[in-house]
Amino acid sequence: MPYLFTLPGLLCELALSIVDIRTRRVPLPWVGAGSLLQMIAVFVYGVMSNDLFVLLQAVLFTALCCVIQLALALLVPKSLGFGDVTALVPAGLAVGMLGLLPVVVWWLAMGVLGIGWIMLWLRFDSRRSASDHAGKVPYVPVIALGAVLAIVAHMVIG
């Protein structure tokens, strides 16, 4: 049943993915609203299951993921932007509430899907010659799809 409580973060990631594909921007107010709604959902789940450690777990896993993503963005310039790091928060809260294994599956899914997504996007992007979007790959859809796969894998496995 905890999977229903991941919906605010996943729906926010869907909206952020659409905006990222269209504009290569991640609106911070949307990230803030989605993160707040996801935190409320995690809190409600924690109260219902009498386990408020879930809230702490979600916040700590999200912070760890954001630090790792920021480090990756700083190590390889122009690979990931600040929007990709902030877009990680709603999905991180959703996946983080489920524990360590879903977070690991999420990162593995983002890595595998990300490589394929970047290759396909650079090959088939219809706006690749436009100066404002040239060479910029929207990565938020990969974050969202990886989160969905991690949550579904957690549902199936256990």
Side-chain angles (χ1 to χ4, degrees), residues 4 6 51 66 87-88 91 95 97 100 104 111 134 143 154:
L4 292 177
T6 63
D51 182 20
C66 286
L88 203 70
V95 177
M97 73 176 271
L100 177 62
V104 171
I143 295 170
H154 188 267

XYZ file of all heavy atoms in Angstrom, residues 4 6 51 66 87-88 91 95 97 100 104 111 134 143 154:
104
model
N 0.905 3.987 -3.193
C -0.013 5.097 -3.450
C 0.540 6.407 -2.901
O 0.246 7.476 -3.428
C -1.380 4.807 -2.840
C -2.176 3.674 -3.474
C -3.479 3.457 -2.722
C -2.447 3.966 -4.932
N 3.490 7.431 -3.073
C 4.563 7.960 -3.918
C 4.009 8.791 -5.083
O 4.775 9.411 -5.811
C 5.422 6.817 -4.489
O 4.624 5.993 -5.339
C 6.053 5.991 -3.395
N 5.164 4.436 11.842
C 6.602 4.344 11.592
C 7.073 5.667 10.986
O 7.227 5.789 9.776
C 6.887 3.178 10.639
C 8.362 3.001 10.377
O 9.177 3.499 11.172
O 8.699 2.360 9.363
N 20.907 13.883 -3.805
C 21.175 15.225 -4.331
C 22.660 15.572 -4.247
O 23.203 16.193 -5.168
C 20.347 16.265 -3.585
S 18.611 16.237 -4.034
N 15.347 18.620 -9.515
C 14.254 17.743 -9.944
C 14.343 16.376 -9.284
O 13.370 15.618 -9.273
C 14.261 17.581 -11.458
N 15.490 16.077 -8.709
C 15.686 14.804 -8.029
C 14.913 14.738 -6.705
O 14.614 13.645 -6.225
C 17.186 14.621 -7.769
C 17.738 13.255 -7.583
C 17.700 12.520 -8.914
C 19.167 13.334 -7.103
N 11.201 12.995 -6.589
C 11.364 11.561 -6.856
C 12.176 10.901 -5.748
O 11.901 9.760 -5.359
C 12.035 11.350 -8.209
N 10.927 7.646 -3.734
C 11.659 6.373 -3.743
C 12.328 6.132 -2.393
O 12.365 5.010 -1.897
C 12.707 6.353 -4.881
C 13.527 5.080 -4.847
C 12.027 6.497 -6.233
N 11.382 6.779 0.562
C 10.516 6.271 1.625
C 10.423 4.742 1.615
O 10.056 4.136 2.606
C 9.121 6.886 1.539
C 8.263 6.373 0.415
S 6.595 7.035 0.423
C 5.757 5.861 1.458
N 16.523 1.442 1.086
C 17.792 1.477 0.366
C 17.747 0.747 -0.970
O 18.233 1.265 -1.982
C 18.905 0.877 1.237
C 20.283 0.777 0.598
C 20.810 2.153 0.236
C 21.243 0.045 1.514
N 18.829 2.177 -4.708
C 19.900 1.598 -5.528
C 19.367 1.212 -6.906
O 20.002 1.488 -7.933
C 20.551 0.385 -4.815
C 21.497 -0.355 -5.728
C 21.269 0.840 -3.544
N 21.094 5.279 -14.537
C 22.342 5.144 -15.279
C 22.155 4.447 -16.610
O 22.599 4.929 -17.654
N 20.715 23.490 -28.533
C 21.710 22.640 -29.193
C 22.554 21.896 -28.156
O 23.171 22.488 -27.284
C 22.610 23.479 -30.089
N 15.034 10.623 -14.798
C 14.846 10.570 -13.342
C 13.462 10.021 -13.025
O 13.310 9.151 -12.157
C 15.047 11.975 -12.731
C 16.498 12.444 -12.908
C 14.651 11.988 -11.257
C 16.730 13.897 -12.550
N 10.029 -2.621 -6.620
C 9.798 -2.846 -5.188
C 8.434 -3.493 -4.951
O 8.293 -4.317 -4.053
C 9.906 -1.528 -4.432
C 9.872 -1.695 -2.954
N 8.693 -1.601 -2.232
C 10.843 -1.969 -2.059
C 8.959 -1.817 -0.953
N 10.252 -2.038 -0.826
